[in-house]
Amino acid sequence: MNSSLERYTERVEQYASRFPRFPRFLDVMMVLALIGCAFFGTHLSLPGLNSPDTGKSLEVMLGLSCFVLLKYRTHTRTVVVVVAGVTIAAIARGYLLTPLLLAPLLAAMYWLAVLCDRRTVRLYALVVTVALLTVNLFSDGMRDLSPVLTVIGPVFWMALPLVGGSLARLRGDYLEAVKSRAEHAERTREEEARLRVTEERMRIARELHDVVAHHLALANAQAGTAAHLSRSNPEQSRRILDDLTGTTSSALRELKATLGLLRQDDRPKGEGLEPAPGLARLPELIDSYRSAGLEVVVHQEGVRRPLTPGVDLTAYRIVQEALTNVAKHAPERAAHVSFTYADSRLLITVSNDGPATATATAVNGTSGGFGLRGMRERAQSIGGDLCAGPRPEGGFDVTTALPLQPSAAGEGESR
């Protein structure tokens, strides 16, 4: 029965949403039905007793009180007071207290329980019930009944609309809470999607910066060196130009692999894309800089350990960007790269020699500091840290500490 009532209620709500005047039509039909109930209620009496002769004035008042119910949405308390007053007056004049006579008051109490707060409902219910009991005990229409029945009847009939109205209010509150949760979940999903899009854009921006900045700086250095040696040492210049071809080809491959992540096609995941670079390609990276005239010395301390893909990619990109800064900004054409494997962290230091005033350019970054900021973001994304700045004795240091086992969130972002 409960499910049937819920289906009926949902159907009524659907009609109300489709037809704005449907609720008003229901209100008018309810008032007409209540007038009929009150009219028949005034003609009921106990066997051997006649209905009180009131000149039909109370019957007219009961009918008019039913029309007051049309304002139950905006003046709920006033409706209860008016209908309760007329009903109590009718019982005091000797009318038999029956569900039909109480029908307008029961409807008013139902809407009071639905629309008002619990404190108001308890207060009005207590006052109206006590008034009904008091009048009913001394009414002529109930003088032949026992006091127990005289008390149980009003209490029982008054409890029904209060319980039904409370259940309806609880159902409305539940539906409102479900709707609010659904809206909140929708907003949360949209915000999470925007956050993921932003993070992905940042990651792709870092990848593009690393690829483009590194290879363009390297190609620029190789082209400058080749132009400088074109007359004095043509053979060396030719070898550098050959390396320049390899540099640009490598740049195109990495750029294609990075942009390939943005494509939406039916190819299997990863097909046609190069794997992410790692420290295994460090010798190739060092040779590309040496071909451009930058001397790079690599030093390692501790036992080398296998790295997760996220840490491996982050370490490679940081070394790549740091060497790019050296090639672009440092006056001395030499750099030192140090790897130290500790218990749970990998310490990487890239440094170069030179006057502090000259290497200070690398701190600020002639391109707006995106290189240093990107390195720092990469390190922090897997739970590491990065420091960069001029050395007291001259030159510039980039030092980063990366965890050997990053968090799952950091690992996912670095890939």
Side-chain angles (χ1 to χ4, degrees):
M1 182 176 180
N2 230 8
S3 59
S4 300
L5 180 61
E6 289 183 359
R7 287 197 298 269
Y8 173 76
T9 305
E10 290 176 359
R11 189 174 301 173
V12 171
E13 291 175 351
Q14 290 175 0
Y15 275 109
S17 61
R18 291 174 57 186
F19 305 102
R21 295 186 178 180
F22 185 70
R24 179 58 61 181
F25 172 75
L26 288 181
D27 292 344
V28 173
M29 297 300 296
M30 176 190 69
V31 168
L32 295 178
L34 292 175
I35 291 175
C37 292
F39 175 77
F40 286 111
T42 58
H43 289 77
L44 297 177
S45 62
L46 292 175
L49 295 177
N50 296 323
S51 300
D53 186 11
T54 60
K56 306 297 182 181
S57 60
L58 275 177
E59 295 179 13
V60 174
M61 291 180 62
L62 281 172
L64 294 177
S65 68
C66 293
F67 283 101
V68 177
L69 285 166
L70 292 174
K71 295 292 184 180
Y72 71 86
R73 289 187 177 88
T74 57
H75 301 81
T76 310
R77 297 175 180 84
T78 304
V79 169
V80 171
V81 172
V82 172
V83 176
V86 174
T87 304
I88 292 173
I91 297 172
R93 292 296 298 271
Y95 285 102
L96 181 65
L97 190 152
T98 62
L100 292 177
L101 186 68
L102 289 178
L105 179 59
L106 298 182
M109 296 303 295
Y110 172 83
W111 290 114
L112 180 75
V114 172
L115 300 175
C116 295
D117 59 277
R118 294 180 180 178
R119 182 178 179 181
T120 301
V121 173
R122 286 195 294 264
L123 177 61
Y124 277 73
L126 179 62
V127 172
V128 173
T129 303
V130 170
L132 279 178
L133 290 176
T134 303
V135 174
N136 199 38
L137 285 173
F138 298 100
S139 173
D140 293 337
M142 305 291 290
R143 63 173 180 261
D144 293 336
L145 295 179
S146 66
V148 175
L149 294 178
T150 305
V151 171
I152 291 177
V155 172
F156 176 76
W157 292 114
M158 289 297 295
L160 286 180
L162 295 175
V163 173
S166 299
L167 292 177
R169 187 185 67 248
L170 290 175
R171 179 179 179 274
D173 294 341
Y174 171 75
L175 294 178
E176 187 66 26
V178 170
K179 181 180 178 181
S180 299
R181 285 197 298 269
E183 293 175 352
H184 176 71
E186 185 67 24
R187 288 194 302 269
T188 303
R189 282 194 296 269
E190 292 176 358
E191 292 172 0
E192 184 179 356
R194 285 195 296 268
L195 180 60
R196 289 183 177 179
V197 169
T198 302
E199 292 176 349
E200 185 66 12
R201 286 168 52 192
M202 294 283 293
R203 187 187 68 82
I204 294 174
R206 285 197 299 266
E207 289 290 332
L208 289 175
H209 174 271
D210 292 341
V211 172
V212 175
H214 160 65
H215 289 292
L216 285 182
L218 186 59
N220 181 69
Q222 289 174 329
T225 305
H228 179 71
L229 298 176
S230 59
R231 294 187 178 180
S232 60
N233 194 341
E235 187 64 27
Q236 179 69 15
S237 176
R238 190 179 301 109
R239 285 197 298 269
I240 293 176
L241 291 176
D242 292 338
D243 294 337
L244 177 60
T245 302
T247 300
T248 54
S249 299
S250 178
L252 290 174
R253 285 196 305 272
E254 289 200 30
L255 191 60
K256 180 181 178 182
T258 303
L259 295 178
L261 298 175
L262 301 176
R263 294 199 188 100
Q264 299 292 335
D265 53 26
D266 298 330
R267 292 182 303 177
K269 184 178 179 180
E271 182 180 331
L273 304 179
E274 278 194 349
L279 292 182
R281 294 177 55 181
L282 186 62
E284 177 184 343
L285 179 68
I286 299 301
D287 289 340
S288 65
Y289 280 105
R290 285 173 177 166
S291 67
L294 178 66
E295 287 297 324
V296 182
V297 178
V298 180
H299 178 68
Q300 177 181 319
E301 294 183 8
V303 181
R304 184 172 182 176
R305 303 180 191 178
L307 304 177
T308 60
V311 176
D312 201 17
L313 173 62
T314 300
Y316 178 86
R317 290 303 191 194
I318 289 176
V319 173
Q320 182 186 58
E321 179 62 27
L323 291 178
T324 300
N325 285 341
V326 173
K328 290 166 61 178
H329 304 298
E332 299 293 335
R333 309 296 292 172
H336 308 275
V337 182
S338 173
F339 296 91
T340 302
Y341 289 86
D343 293 336
S344 61
R345 302 181 80 82
L346 169 61
L347 183 66
I348 303 175
T349 302
V350 180
S351 60
N352 66 280
D353 300 326
T357 55
T359 55
T361 308
V363 179
N364 300 322
T366 57
S367 61
F370 293 114
L372 293 179
R373 186 167 64 186
M375 287 190 290
R376 187 170 289 107
E377 289 175 353
R378 279 190 176 277
Q380 292 174 350
S381 69
I382 59 172
D385 196 11
L386 183 138
C387 298
R391 303 164 60 189
E393 64 275 16
F396 194 78
D397 261 347
V398 174
T399 303
T400 180
L402 305 178
L404 296 179
Q405 295 294 332
S407 62
E411 179 76 14
E413 183 181 351
S414 298
R415 288 180 181 176

